[in-house]
Amino acid sequence: MSPAAPLPRILVIGTGDTKCDELQFMASVITEAGGRPVMVDVSILGDPPYVPDHSKHDIARAAATSIAEIAESGDENSAMAAMATGAAALTHRLYEEGLVDGIIVLGGSMGTDLALDVAAVLPLGVPKFVVSTIAYSHLIPPERIAPDLMMILWAGGLYGLNSICRSVLSQACGAVVGAARHGTKPDHARPLIGMTSLGSSCLKYMKHLRPELERRGYDVAVFHSTGMGGRAFEAIAAQAGFAAVFDFCIQEVSNHHYGTVVTSGADRLENAGRAGIPQIVAPGAVDMVDLQAWQALPEIFADRPYHAHNRLIGSVTTSPEGRREVARLIGQKLAQADAKVAFLLPTEGLQEWDKPEEPLHDPEGLAAFLDEMRRAVPPSVTFREVDAHINSPSFSAAALAIFDSWVAEGVIPEGRPS
């Protein structure tokens, strides 16, 4: 942004009746950083000592109600949910009118609940910053996190300004202004292909597929399927943000089924099909469940082969019957799709650590999964068995053959080579 460009407009959202000092401090930092603060008050019972640009009455009207009705609900949860609805609606309208360049929301658990709804209505590329007392907490369900949401822990700031609080708030405000001034928004010069994977020590097909797809004129985004990566993939798919997907690492389906924190939410493997996006799907690493490496293994996995990837994350193999359960779940999810789906089943292995001599090698478990998966794929899905390991070039070639045929049929838009 050039010095002559308009100041980026940053919505500063919070309860002005209880956090007026913090919000006004944030406004001053945003101004000093070269932004324009736009104050949005989401108070319910009180009023801020300043005049907000968008009052609580504006928020209530955007939710098709009034502050009096919200306050009379008598329940803080439903009252703040109504304010979240209004704040999200107002924010979306202001964005559509070209009046929002970024947002920053301040709150405890109540404010964070509202912030997640507000951030979700803005597209990828609009800076979204949440200052929260529960940042990074497992209280926050992954399916509510916008794919480019930024958070910082509101350390020591629950009640009143202090030196720690000022440090945190000033960092957050500087970050959102900097992102609004200098961030590069996604462009759509080439159709975007979404792909899921793990690191190349486990899954390698992206090394074969990405250069081939780029040569065909596509932009390729590879998402790390360790919970939040899959969530970002699903969030973009839900907004019809992909021309097609190679969803080859659906391990998060297994993770969620077994209740681990490495989850992308219950709707993993559903949003692309719901949005009408063509999908080529494979069961990469679905024979594993990811867990925190810094905690003891749950009793259900105590006797299963285990591989610690690093000090944060480790993987345990599931039993043959557990793999059959996941195969049936995959089939149920694929059956919901409203667009073309192809499912590729690599018969010689689903991830690198299951090869002979590797720590998670389990021929019996693989055989059980293959057997159940053959029955679970619904008739609406194009089914291909590939006599290869998922990491082999021949598997990637089979996937590209389907992709190319769909481009030729007009199912997927043609690429735009540079």
Side-chain angles (χ1 to χ4, degrees):
M1 181 176 290
S2 68
L7 300 180
R9 292 151 297 194
I10 309 298
L11 299 192
V12 182
I13 304 173
T15 51
D17 59 343
T18 61
K19 298 176 177 63
C20 60
D21 292 343
E22 295 92 331
L23 293 167
Q24 288 182 296
F25 174 74
M26 292 166 68
S28 69
V29 174
I30 288 170
T31 299
E32 291 172 8
R36 177 188 162 193
V38 179
M39 307 301 285
V40 179
D41 180 37
V42 292
S43 307
I44 297 174
L45 298 178
D47 294 296
Y50 56 86
V51 179
D53 297 278
H54 301 284
S55 72
K56 63 184 184 182
H57 302 285
D58 298 327
I59 301 298
R61 278 193 293 271
T65 184
S66 69
I67 278 293
E69 290 177 311
I70 292 174
E72 289 168 5
S73 70
D75 175 74
E76 62 180 359
N77 179 35
S78 60
M80 188 53 79
M83 295 301 284
T85 298
L90 177 69
T91 298
H92 185 262
R93 176 174 64 79
L94 292 174
Y95 173 76
E96 291 292 310
E97 294 172 358
L99 299 176
V100 177
D101 299 303
I103 66 166
I104 186 166
V105 190
L106 175 72
S109 60
M110 298 284 281
T112 303
D113 186 17
L114 178 146
L116 297 174
D117 282 359
V118 173
V121 303
L122 295 172
L124 188 75
V126 178
K128 311 162 186 68
F129 214 110
V130 178
V131 184
S132 168
T133 60
I134 58 170
Y136 311 113
S137 168
H138 292 315
L139 288 170
I140 301 173
E143 56 267 29
R144 294 192 61 199
I145 298 176
D148 57 347
L149 186 71
M150 295 177 280
M151 299 187 82
I152 190 170
L153 184 65
W154 186 14
L158 179 61
Y159 190 74
L161 280 171
N162 55 65
S163 60
I164 294 175
C165 181
R166 286 187 176 90
S167 176
V168 170
L169 294 179
S170 61
Q171 288 180 60
C173 292
V176 73
V177 173
R181 289 178 66 90
H182 305 294
T184 300
K185 291 182 172 60
D187 67 56
H188 304 287
R190 296 184 296 168
L192 179 64
I193 304 299
M195 186 181 299
T196 57
S197 187
L198 295 177
S200 58
S201 62
C202 182
L203 294 173
K204 305 179 186 299
Y205 46 76
M206 62 277 196
K207 293 186 175 182
H208 310 303
L209 291 168
R210 182 183 172 190
E212 287 296 324
L213 291 167
E214 290 179 339
R215 186 174 63 80
R216 288 163 168 78
Y218 295 91
D219 193 11
V220 182
V222 183
F223 294 79
H224 196 195
S225 296
T226 50
M228 295 317 304
R231 183 67 250 152
F233 173 86
E234 292 293 332
I236 296 170
Q239 297 176 355
F242 301 121
V245 299
F246 285 73
D247 201 354
F248 283 1
C249 182
I250 53 177
Q251 182 196 23
E252 291 147 324
V253 173
S254 187
N255 291 347
H256 189 81
H257 177 68
Y258 281 97
T260 86
V261 299
V262 193
T263 175
S264 302
D267 60 350
R268 183 69 177 89
L269 192 58
E270 296 179 10
N271 288 289
R274 193 176 292 134
I277 298 170
Q279 303 174 80
I280 306 175
V281 181
V286 81
D287 53 342
M288 304 189 308
V289 170
D290 277 346
L291 305 155
Q292 305 106 305
W294 42 272
Q295 286 193 341
L297 281 175
E299 186 63 29
I300 189 176
F301 297 128
D303 298 325
R304 298 298 304 169
Y306 173 75
H307 172 73
H309 186 49
N310 52 49
R311 288 177 292 175
L312 299 178
I313 192 167
S315 303
V316 63
T317 60
T318 50
S319 67
E321 183 50 42
R323 299 186 199 199
R324 289 184 183 274
E325 292 175 6
V326 171
R328 292 191 288 270
L329 180 58
I330 292 168
Q332 293 165 13
K333 289 175 175 285
L334 295 179
Q336 301 174 29
D338 291 327
K340 290 198 77 165
V341 182
F343 187 84
L344 276 63
L345 186 64
T347 61
E348 294 183 10
L350 310 183
Q351 40 87 10
E352 194 72 11
W353 301 323
D354 185 33
K355 287 183 174 180
E357 310 302 325
E358 292 294 334
L360 303 183
H361 184 53
D362 185 354
E364 180 188 359
L366 176 61
F369 177 79
L370 297 176
D371 176 65
E372 194 67 37
M373 201 70 246
R374 292 179 181 112
R375 286 194 286 267
V377 175
S380 58
V381 172
T382 300
F383 178 63
R384 296 281 187 275
E385 283 197 34
V386 183
D387 292 329
H389 191 277
I390 195 169
N391 285 336
S392 71
S394 59
F395 175 81
S396 295
L400 283 170
I402 292 175
F403 180 86
D404 289 340
S405 69
W406 286 1
V407 173
E409 295 169 17
V411 174
I412 298 171
E414 292 186 3
R416 305 185 191 112
S418 54

